[in-house]
Amino acid sequence: MFALSRDSLPPFVAMLPGSRIVDGGFQQTGIAIAVPKDRPQALAAITSFMQEAKASGVVRRALDAAGFASEPVAP
């Protein structure tokens, strides 16, 4: 058994015939965007931007291009 974060395993699986990545995990890497407190317009702008980026496929394409094709886009 070999345990790393899910995003770092695919290269190892490719080198080890018969290996696989199992469901579940022990570590997750999150990404967040912060705006200053009491800045409702900034929060609304970034929320709108992220919703559009996910809906249009920009986030999916960015993950794919970075080698994370199997990683889901957050809802």
Side-chain angles (χ1 to χ4, degrees), residues 25-37:
F26 69 96
Q27 178 181 7
Q28 292 183 335
T29 302
I31 298 172
I33 298 174
V35 297
K37 188 175 181 178

Side-chain angles (χ1 to χ4, degrees), residues 35-49:
V35 297
K37 188 175 181 178
D38 298 323
R39 298 282 305 270
Q41 290 178 326
L43 180 58
I46 196 61
T47 299
S48 176
F49 169 78

Side-chain angles (χ1 to χ4, degrees), residues 6 9 14 16 21 37 40 43-45 47 52 55 60 66-67 71:
R6 183 171 294 281
L9 288 172
L16 299 167
I21 299 174
K37 188 175 181 178
L43 180 58
T47 299
E52 176 59 28
R60 174 77 273 150
E71 293 300 314

